[in-house]
């Protein structure tokens, strides 16, 4: 149900390593919970993030939600197409709906994040709560 090539946080972000960079977005579970996303406040290129620090904001018809960094690093790209089409996050959360690409700070890894199987169990438990 959740792509196996990414890692997941308990706050429902995903992270995919691609050529030394980490691409970050929110999970399909998070986008479903938020419903229709109507506005995205993106991070700025060269912003530095701390592990677990808020670096983007999503506004939906239901709520405003922060996006938290699954890795410490420097923002190298923000998905500017989300400014015109924020709904891409709902339509393709693991593809065209990515939020930012970061260069991780030396020593930062994704080892602390869940794999797809662990995340699926986590979501099932959260739904049952």
């Amino acid at each position: 149900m959740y792509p196996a090539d990414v890692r997941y946080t308990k706050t429902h972000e995903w992270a995919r390593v691609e050529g030394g960079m980490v691409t970050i977005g929110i999970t399909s579970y998070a986008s479903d919970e938020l419903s229709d996303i109507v506005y995205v406040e993106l991070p700025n290129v060269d912003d530095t993030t701390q592990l677990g620090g808020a670096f983007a904001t999503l506004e939906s018809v239901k709520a405003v939600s922060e996006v938290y960094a699954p890795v410490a690093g420097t923002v190298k790209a923000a998905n500017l197409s989300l400014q015109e089409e924020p709904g891409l996050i709902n339509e393709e959360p693991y593809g065209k709906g990515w939020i930012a690409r970061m260069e991780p700070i030396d020593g930062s890894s994704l080892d602390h994040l869940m794999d797809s199987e662990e995340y699926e169990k986590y979501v099932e438990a959260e739904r049952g709560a």
Side-chain angles (χ1 to χ4, degrees), residues 9-11 13 24 49-56 66-73 102 108 112-113:
T9 69
K10 289 184 177 183
T11 52
E13 290 84 15
I24 300 165
T49 64
Q50 299 299 316
L51 176 63
F55 75 96
E66 300 291 338
V67 180
Y68 300 99
V71 64
M102 293 186 182
S108 291
H112 64 284
L113 302 177

Side-chain angles (χ1 to χ4, degrees), residues 7 15 17-18 28 41 45 48 59 63 86 92-93 95 97-98 102 104 120 129:
R7 304 286 289 193
V17 176
E18 299 174 300
S28 56
E41 184 179 323
V45 172
T48 301
E59 184 178 325
E92 295 186 56
W98 63 275
M102 293 186 182
E120 188 166 354

Side-chain angles (χ1 to χ4, degrees), residues 44-111:
N44 295 312
V45 172
D46 293 329
D47 281 357
T48 301
T49 64
Q50 299 299 316
L51 176 63
F55 75 96
T57 304
L58 306 178
E59 184 178 325
S60 73
V61 295
K62 287 185 175 181
V64 174
S65 181
E66 300 291 338
V67 180
Y68 300 99
V71 64
T74 303
V75 175
K76 293 299 180 183
N79 188 352
L80 299 178
S81 62
L82 297 178
Q83 292 176 326
E84 296 292 321
E85 296 181 77
L88 287 173
I89 293 174
N90 298 109
E91 295 165 21
E92 295 186 56
Y94 303 102
K96 292 181 181 178
W98 63 275
I99 295 169
R101 290 197 171 107
M102 293 186 182
E103 181 177 41
I105 292 173
D106 290 340
S108 291
S109 75
L110 304 181
D111 293 344

